[in-house]
Amino acid sequence: SPALQSEPVRVADSSGDENAFPLGVMGEALELAAEDEAPLAPEPVAKPAPRRVVPVTPVRALPVDGCPHCGSPLEGGAVFCTGCGFNLKTGKHVSTSVAEGNDGDAGHHGGSGARGEPTPALRVAAFWLLVACGVASVVVSAGRVWRPLAPLGSAMALVGALAGMVGAVIYFIDGAMERGLAGAGATLVAMVLLCVIGMRPSAPVAVAPPPPAPVVVATMPATAPDPGPKIAEVSSGRFSVRPPAPNEDPVAYWKPELHDTDSRIRVIAIGQLSQVSEPYRQGAADAIAEIAADEDVVARRAAMSALSVGKTSASLAAAIKGLDDKDGAVARRAVKVLGQYQDESAIAPLLAKYTTLGDPVLAALASYRGTSKERVVEAYRSLMSSADTKGRMAIIGKLVDVDPASAAPLLMTFVGDGDLIIRTAAISTLAELKYEPAIPVIVERLRDDPETAGQALIKFGTPVEAAVAARLADSDPKQRLLALRILKEIATPSSLTAIKTAAKDADLSVALAARDVWRKLEPGVLPPIDEALMDLDGEKELLIRALTALAKLPVDEHQAIISAKLYAIVMGNGEKPIPSLACDALVVWADAVTRERLIAALKPDAEDGKRAYAIRLAVEFKDPRAVRPLCECLAAGRDMDAVMDALREFGTLSETFLMRLVSTGDSGLRVKLFNLLREVGTRRCFMVIAPLANNKNTEPELKKQAKETIIAINRRLNSTAARKAPPMMPPRPLPPIEPAPLLK
């Protein structure tokens, strides 16, 4: 149908004037005559249907401006909008009509405020829109019946709803109220259909094999009038199950379903049998064992899992056979079931599958308890013996994770393994597990694997203390030392006795290590003087250490004890350099009693070996009491060189005794005495030497020696050094010396 006229057109007045006036000008505008009237050229327009022509008074066209209602362009000064019939002066709408004049131009007329007749074109458009709504409704209905049209029906329902709504609106605008209500009803129907088809469930999606286990969605009452099948598919992959009556045998009830042609039915029946009560479990296990080798993999998996409902000879055989199933899931489920059965006959088959199934086999064997545990340990041992080093290490690690109770006894057999890696792993793992029965075995490995065994024993802690302390009596110092290193980390006062004994060990390293442990257990004990006292009774190395320390330590309340021990060491004819070191220490620690004993040791009748050290100490002490026994030794010819050196050290203190020997000794002794007097004598000795030098009866050689001695003494005494030296104190008076045999 033609569209409504929206552009200005021209109409003829009653006099036939061809001046143009704006279309749509109503009666109110006829009273407004414009002064400046300008004719417009005619424009061709489409011819509308014949209408009644109403003559109008010519008016002048106004300038074009914008309509405030619809926005259509208006000429300047225009009062009405030709597009919507809006009166710019009154602010109201008026109806219009267009008629064709005699000259073919279009004319427009309308009553003031009255609505015109309905427009046919609008009604045609609304009609076709409602037809589209109906077609959409038909397609939707067809989609409910024929499934492939369901997606198209959804789209058409939406389009039909929109078309019906537009058509209804057009009818309402055009004034056809009845038809508008009909269009609204059609729209409502289309929207209802749209909602219905939207709630329709989607088609099921196919699942790749193996198919999932069927879902039981409903359980029908056992007393239903028409029970039908025990397991029925209500939709794709969804099943309903009718359970047996309370007085029925569930095994006999479900057993026929185990042989259904549909594998899904068989799976459901297996699931029902796995849930039977205690009295029926063994029968259920036998029934399930019959189809444990089902051709369907899902059924085999379900059956193998359900075998755990009960252990029978048939279910045990089926589970063992399941270990060889080509499906890994079935084999692993068989391993798990056998672990639950804990039957000894399954140990060997399980062990044979370790290389292919791995850890689940170890986990199953770990579940064995009671007397079967020993068989399992033997199985582990055979498994270890057949693997290489890497495999054995892996088995050890897995065993510790899944079955530490069995791993520990097994590892004890590998503590002495020929492979160092396995041996080390076994020892370390036993220590981590704190398996105390392994302690004696590991202690024995201290000789061959000292580091590994030592670290392991430290991890055990105090439980190994007694066994390790016993190693302190080992003949090998290295073993004793290693035991002390372990005890230093774990020892308690209970092993202190053995440690104190080891503190006096002949081996210096062992003794020192024992003392470190002792000090750790009893802080503040064993000061240096006590340690030195203890070492005085030790072997050579300890004794040397003690003597060296005593020579530097200050004298304390232990002097009497230490002095006596040192004198015994000096006079004990010990191995060099012990006597010499003891002399150095005795110089510091000798008491009065010891000095008396040293003077006595200087006598000619004392042992020669002891006299030498006594002479050395006498010189160190500068005791005047030593001069007489030294001169007696000189007269007796004992230790001549040592005695003469000692008398030189005593200086003028020995002059009186030397003078006596000069007057009574033989010529050989006198020569030695002259040599001493040259170094230590004073002019006092001239009273003995001068008579010998001037006596005509004296032997020429002796006379010569006497004269040379007098000259040497004078020269020494007249020297600058002698004059500057302080006067020597006279020696203390000594008791007279008993005549020696050489002086008679």
Side-chain angles (χ1 to χ4, degrees):
S1 61
L4 297 177
Q5 183 68 40
S6 61
E7 297 293 331
V9 297
R10 311 188 189 283
V11 297
D13 60 354
S14 59
S15 61
D17 189 2
E18 294 182 356
N19 292 328
F21 298 95
L23 180 63
V25 178
M26 307 305 295
E28 295 88 344
L30 297 179
E31 299 176 0
L32 302 175
E35 295 181 358
D36 299 331
E37 180 178 354
L40 298 175
E43 295 180 5
V45 295
K47 292 183 180 182
R51 302 287 179 87
R52 184 167 54 90
V53 178
V54 179
V56 295
T57 305
V59 294
R60 186 181 180 85
L62 299 177
V64 177
D65 197 358
C67 176
H69 184 265
C70 68
S72 301
L74 300 176
E75 294 184 2
V79 179
F80 291 93
C81 175
T82 61
C84 62
F86 184 78
N87 189 334
L88 277 68
K89 181 178 180 182
T90 63
K92 298 180 179 180
H93 284 277
V94 295
S95 62
T96 60
S97 63
V98 180
E100 185 177 356
N102 296 331
D103 54 357
D105 291 336
H108 189 98
H109 74 279
S112 176
R115 182 181 298 273
E117 294 295 328
T119 305
L122 291 177
R123 297 193 175 188
V124 170
F127 170 78
W128 284 111
L129 287 173
L130 292 179
V131 170
C133 179
V135 172
S137 300
V138 172
V139 173
V140 171
S141 300
R144 294 291 296 176
V145 178
W146 191 31
R147 190 172 299 173
L149 285 179
L152 178 61
S154 298
M156 290 299 293
L158 179 61
V159 173
L162 293 175
M165 181 177 63
V166 173
V169 170
I170 292 175
Y171 272 124
F172 281 126
I173 293 175
D174 203 36
M177 297 298 294
E178 297 82 1
R179 297 182 181 180
L181 291 174
T187 301
L188 181 61
V189 171
M191 293 182 69
V192 170
L193 291 175
L194 176 62
C195 294
V196 171
I197 197 170
M199 292 187 294
R200 180 181 180 86
S202 59
V205 180
V207 180
V215 180
V216 178
V217 298
T219 300
M220 295 181 292
T223 58
D226 184 12
K230 300 174 184 177
I231 303 173
E233 185 175 13
V234 296
S235 62
S236 178
R238 301 168 70 85
F239 293 80
S240 66
V241 174
R242 177 167 55 86
N247 57 348
E248 288 186 272
D249 184 344
V251 177
Y253 182 84
W254 291 115
K255 192 171 182 179
E257 307 302 315
L258 295 177
H259 304 284
D260 194 279
T261 56
D262 190 341
S263 62
R264 298 174 299 171
I265 301 295
R266 299 198 298 273
V267 170
I268 294 176
I270 292 171
Q272 296 298 317
L273 284 172
S274 66
Q275 302 174 16
V276 298
S277 58
E278 179 64 32
Y280 301 100
R281 288 185 177 179
Q282 289 192 348
D286 288 337
I288 296 171
E290 293 179 4
I291 64 163
D294 195 279
E295 60 182 9
D296 183 75
V297 64
V298 176
R300 291 204 308 278
R301 292 177 181 177
M304 197 56 63
S305 297
L307 285 177
S308 60
V309 70
K311 174 186 174 183
T312 64
S313 58
S315 63
L316 176 62
I320 293 175
K321 185 178 180 182
L323 294 174
D324 298 322
D325 197 281
K326 60 183 179 181
D327 182 68
V330 175
R332 287 190 294 272
R333 295 184 187 191
V335 170
K336 186 175 182 180
V337 170
L338 291 174
Q340 294 175 354
Y341 286 171
Q342 298 184 23
D343 193 277
E344 292 187 4
S345 63
I347 293 177
L350 283 170
L351 198 64
K353 290 298 177 181
Y354 174 75
T355 55
T356 56
L357 298 179
D359 295 349
V361 171
L362 296 180
L365 292 173
S367 63
Y368 278 71
R369 295 293 181 267
T371 57
S372 300
K373 202 65 176 178
E374 298 179 0
R375 292 283 306 276
V376 171
V377 173
E378 290 298 327
Y380 287 151
R381 187 174 290 108
S382 64
L383 185 63
M384 288 276 289
S385 62
S386 62
D388 56 6
T389 300
K390 183 177 180 180
R392 295 163 78 189
M393 288 294 296
I395 294 172
I396 290 174
K398 297 301 181 184
L399 277 178
V400 172
D401 291 338
V402 302
D403 193 7
S406 296
L410 173 65
L411 292 175
M412 280 188 61
T413 61
F414 294 98
V415 169
D417 194 85
D419 192 322
L420 176 61
I421 297 176
I422 300 299
R423 189 168 67 243
T424 302
I427 295 173
S428 301
T429 305
L430 286 169
E432 294 290 343
L433 296 174
K434 299 292 177 41
Y435 188 64
E436 295 187 9
I439 291 176
V441 181
I442 297 177
V443 169
E444 291 300 323
R445 299 305 304 177
L446 286 173
R447 198 173 305 278
D448 297 322
D449 299 298
E451 293 300 326
T452 303
Q455 292 298 324
L457 292 172
I458 291 174
K459 290 180 181 179
F460 274 103
T462 54
V464 305
E465 183 178 8
V468 174
R471 301 289 290 186
L472 294 177
D474 193 280
S475 59
D476 186 357
K478 293 182 179 179
Q479 291 296 301
R480 299 197 299 272
L481 185 61
L482 182 58
L484 286 168
R485 291 176 183 173
I486 299 171
L487 288 173
K488 188 175 183 180
E489 301 294 332
I490 64 171
T492 64
S494 62
S495 58
L496 193 56
T497 302
I499 292 172
K500 289 181 178 180
T501 302
K504 302 177 183 179
D505 195 276
D507 187 275
L508 179 61
S509 300
V510 174
L512 295 180
R515 293 169 192 179
D516 288 341
V517 181
W518 187 358
R519 291 189 182 98
K520 183 179 179 181
L521 294 175
E522 294 184 347
V525 301
L526 205 62
I529 189 66
D530 291 344
E531 190 174 358
L533 271 171
M534 185 168 54
D535 289 342
L536 288 177
D537 298 328
E539 297 296 329
K540 180 178 180 180
E541 291 184 351
L542 291 176
L543 188 55
I544 291 174
R545 184 172 181 271
L547 295 173
T548 305
L550 287 171
K552 301 175 183 178
L553 292 174
V555 177
D556 63 1
E557 66 275 10
H558 298 89
Q559 182 181 15
I561 299 174
I562 294 176
S563 180
K565 286 181 175 291
L566 292 175
Y567 180 81
I569 294 171
V570 170
M571 299 303 173
N573 293 325
E575 183 181 357
K576 293 181 179 180
I578 291 176
S580 178
L581 293 175
C583 287
D584 295 338
L586 197 56
V587 170
V588 178
W589 289 88
D591 59 355
V593 176
T594 301
R595 293 194 180 195
E596 291 287 348
R597 298 176 68 184
L598 288 171
I599 297 300
L602 292 173
K603 293 181 179 181
D605 56 351
E607 296 181 14
D608 293 341
K610 296 179 180 179
R611 186 185 304 110
Y613 294 109
I615 294 172
R616 176 180 170 182
L617 289 171
V619 174
E620 293 287 349
F621 296 145
K622 294 294 191 296
D623 191 339
R625 294 177 300 172
V627 176
R628 179 174 178 172
L630 287 174
C631 291
E632 291 176 351
C633 289
L634 184 62
R638 302 285 191 273
D639 297 320
M640 298 294 291
D641 294 337
V643 170
M644 291 184 67
D645 291 339
L647 291 173
R648 287 189 185 95
E649 294 292 334
F650 277 100
T652 56
L653 292 176
S654 60
E655 184 179 19
T656 301
F657 296 98
L658 293 177
M659 290 170 58
R660 294 178 182 178
L661 291 176
V662 169
S663 61
T664 58
D666 58 9
S667 59
L669 178 60
R670 287 174 177 173
V671 173
K672 294 182 183 295
L673 294 174
F674 288 156
N675 291 335
L676 282 174
L677 290 173
R678 290 174 187 175
E679 299 181 25
V680 302
T682 65
R683 291 185 176 91
R684 263 189 346 110
C685 65
F686 289 174
M687 65 180 65
V688 177
I689 301 174
L692 293 175
N694 298 324
N695 192 343
K696 296 180 180 179
N697 297 324
T698 304
E699 296 178 0
E701 182 63 27
L702 183 60
K703 184 185 292 188
K704 179 182 177 183
Q705 291 289 334
K707 291 180 179 179
E708 290 179 353
T709 300
I710 294 173
I711 295 171
I713 291 173
N714 285 327
R715 186 183 297 116
R716 176 172 55 80
L717 294 177
N718 292 330
S719 65
T720 304
R723 289 195 297 268
K724 290 182 178 180
M728 296 185 66
M729 294 181 63
R732 288 187 308 171
L734 296 175
I737 301 176
E738 296 180 359
L742 297 178
L743 299 178
K744 293 181 180 179

